[in-house]
Amino acid sequence: MLKLPLSRIRLAISEQLPQLPQLKNIYHALEVPSKKQQQPMLQWILPATIAQHENELLELVKNQQFDATYIEKVQVLPSVGRTAAKVEFHLQPDAFVKHVLHEELRATPTAVSSAEHIVVEYSSPNIAKPFHVGHLRSTIIGNVLANLHQYLGYRTTRLNYLGDWGTQFGLLALGVQLGNVTDSQMRDAPIETLYKAYVDANKAAAENAELAQKARDLFSALEAGSDATMAKQWQLYREYTIAELTNVYERLGVHFDSYEWESQYSQRDISEVLQSLRTAGLLQREQDGREIVVMNERRVPVIKSDGSTLYLARDIAAVLERQRRLKFSRMLYVVDNGQADHFNALFHTAVGLDQSLSNKLEHVKFGRIHGMSTRHGKAIFLRDVLDEARDVMREKRSQSATTRSNSCLDDEHVCDILGVSAVIVNVLKQRRQRDHEFSWQQALQVNGDTGIKLQYTHCRLHSLLENFTHVSLADIEPSWQQLAQEPADALDVFYELARFEQCVWQSQQQLEACVLVNYLFGLCNATSRALKRLPVKQETSAAKQMQRLLLFHAAKRTLQQGMQLLGLKPLNQM
């Protein structure tokens, strides 16, 4: 994925401003005002944290010499009441329009030091249960956050931490035995086969105490490493599971740098960590034999009375091991709201053992999706939902009077991309901590704010530009004067394009994909209006035609980049 290039204009400003610890990221804090200006400008709103130094800072800025190649004049506006102080940098119009419309900055370095290492753990399904729609939000939110960090220049590691351990896996092993599951069955449909084995064993163990004990014994043997045959089978099950998950992830535009497993931190592998917790006084023994950590007067179990580890123990070991191995600056866990208590206990305990982890760990919470199922009411596997989206799009395309047959298109592939785009955007456009009611009707609209709109606008722009492949856009000199003389729709698109950099940064800072999604909707709406008011093929003035071509080329490039950050695969035809 391309990384965000440095803007020479932003550099010319940010490098001349006071370099104080409280003034981090001035480069990205420069904003294009929301109100359209006749002369372009960037504004810097002083953060509240430096209010007491406001006069001193404004005086420094006033006396500073900025690069006249880019900055025409600087206006300082002190705070008034609740309105914060700000500095307006009035830009040289042609320099700014060239920066926004030309792609010449691609080879420059990125704005963030790659020394900052961000680890994002997301998706993380349990191999004993279906990869259901509940995992969808973690998967696509985590993917966008990893994409944003990577694009902004952070060194980024994407982790998928799969659940394959704990007492429920004794039941799973029992189910495989009871069902005489063959290797070929497991290889052909690992997730469904494992799920069925787990459900059958659960039912059998509930009716038969001996089977329940056998399940516990099977897991004990697995945890102790005393059953080589079962350990080998376990390894195969995991490989088959990853192969099936990879197909779903590919459809969602998702990939991982590392697949890791809860079983990496089984009891025999983390005894040193547990002993460190005891030595530090963080792990306390209860009268019933359990060992717990105390957090805000809550007594949270880490080790059961029979000595086996709980999920929290393995997560503590995992974060400590990752810190040693990956040396991360920040670790993001993209997991639903319901796990807040777990992560509070995890962070409290891990920091108690290693103070260097303080402020490095964050639980990126999100709400649940309600109502997502196929038309047959079936919603166990995410694959079924994605298939449903593809099938509905195929029906809509076949019924549309405007859809023409095109032998060059792989309809199945196009319908799948459209369906997946609809599902992803419908989920991402919500604030992540809100619960979300999924609606097929809303998700698959062409006219509403949907993934279909993003794809449709990209296709329209591609179709327009295909008529001018003979034109060398790099040879066209952008002109602010000509842009300003166009109908207002031209400046609307231009200012939307100019806001892309700050929008990507804000989305990453807030860890909110919806900031980027809503920006792209705004860009599409402005572009659609401009396509109606600013014809290119029919324009008789060659100068106007070339400037419009530059504008729409920049719109397509920016929309494409934004869609890719969301995990979408931009289509050229639909």
Side-chain angles (χ1 to χ4, degrees), residues 101 464 468 471 473 476-479 481-487 490 530 533-552:
L101 298 187
L464 169 65
F468 295 91
V471 175
L473 296 172
I476 304 172
E477 191 68 22
S479 166
Q481 184 180 3
Q482 289 195 354
L483 189 67
Q485 289 173 352
E486 290 276 30
R533 295 286 305 279
L534 306 170
V536 180
K537 285 191 288 185
Q538 297 86 354
E539 178 54 56
T540 54
S541 164
K544 280 187 178 182
Q545 189 181 60
M546 292 302 101
Q547 294 298 316
R548 291 175 184 180
L549 202 59
L550 268 186
L551 185 68
F552 290 127

Side-chain angles (χ1 to χ4, degrees), residues 164-393:
D164 70 329
W165 214 239
T167 51
Q168 74 265 36
F169 290 97
L171 284 168
L172 183 55
L174 175 68
V176 169
Q177 290 184 8
L178 293 176
N180 294 315
V181 175
T182 65
D183 188 60
S184 61
Q185 284 176 297
M186 193 67 72
R187 185 171 50 247
D188 292 343
I191 295 177
E192 289 183 58
T193 303
L194 287 168
Y195 178 59
K196 184 178 184 306
Y198 178 72
V199 170
D200 291 347
N202 233 335
K203 184 178 178 183
E207 298 169 353
N208 187 324
E210 287 184 12
L211 286 177
Q213 184 57 49
K214 184 176 181 182
R216 288 190 287 272
D217 293 342
L218 283 168
F219 179 67
S220 295
L222 190 62
E223 188 167 36
S226 58
D227 189 329
T229 301
M230 188 159 65
K232 187 177 179 181
Q233 282 181 320
W234 211 247
Q235 179 64 32
L236 282 173
Y237 297 167
R238 297 192 313 187
E239 290 173 9
Y240 297 157
T241 299
I242 285 180
E244 184 170 337
L245 286 174
T246 300
N247 292 330
V248 176
Y249 290 139
E250 166 60 26
R251 293 173 75 181
L252 291 170
V254 170
H255 73 277
F256 295 93
D257 298 309
S258 178
Y259 284 88
E260 299 185 1
W261 301 88
E262 200 181 339
S263 57
Q264 291 172 220
Y265 307 100
S266 62
Q267 187 172 10
R268 62 200 171 101
D269 299 316
I270 62 171
S271 55
E272 188 179 321
V273 172
L274 297 175
Q275 190 53 50
S276 297
L277 289 169
R278 294 184 187 106
T279 303
L282 293 168
L283 204 56
Q284 301 175 19
R285 185 175 290 277
E286 297 280 73
Q287 288 185 345
D288 62 3
R290 293 185 305 162
E291 291 184 78
I292 57 102
V293 293
V294 179
M295 191 197 70
N296 299 331
E297 300 183 356
R298 286 179 54 238
R299 308 178 76 79
V300 185
V302 177
I303 300 177
K304 293 193 288 187
S305 54
D306 64 3
S308 57
T309 56
L310 287 164
Y311 188 66
L312 178 58
R314 298 188 284 277
D315 256 11
I316 294 167
V319 72
L320 294 170
E321 187 272 336
R322 289 170 183 173
Q323 172 67 346
R324 286 192 298 271
R325 173 166 50 97
L326 300 172
K327 296 178 175 57
F328 55 78
S329 311
R330 196 174 178 205
M331 172 106 185
L332 305 178
Y333 294 86
V334 186
V335 184
D336 70 82
N337 287 328
Q339 296 295 313
D341 286 345
H342 169 79
F343 284 104
N344 287 336
L346 170 61
F347 299 165
H348 170 82
T349 309
V351 171
L353 205 55
D354 181 354
Q355 286 294 317
S356 72
L357 289 168
S358 182
N359 300 319
K360 287 186 176 181
L361 308 174
E362 183 165 357
H363 176 199
V364 182
K365 307 171 189 175
F366 58 85
R368 296 187 174 184
I369 301 177
H370 302 290
M372 183 181 272
S373 65
T374 66
R375 288 169 293 183
H376 307 294
K378 180 179 169 188
I380 294 177
F381 295 99
L382 179 58
R383 183 189 62 220
D384 296 330
V385 172
L386 298 183
D387 287 350
E388 176 80 357
R390 178 198 61 211
D391 295 345
V392 172
M393 282 312 306

Side-chain angles (χ1 to χ4, degrees), residues 28-49:
H28 289 288
L30 297 168
E31 297 183 5
V32 178
S34 55
K35 189 176 179 181
K36 188 166 59 179
Q37 308 292 320
Q38 280 307 304
Q39 180 180 11
M41 73 164 69
L42 289 172
Q43 65 182 17
W44 177 43
I45 300 173
L46 270 63
T49 52

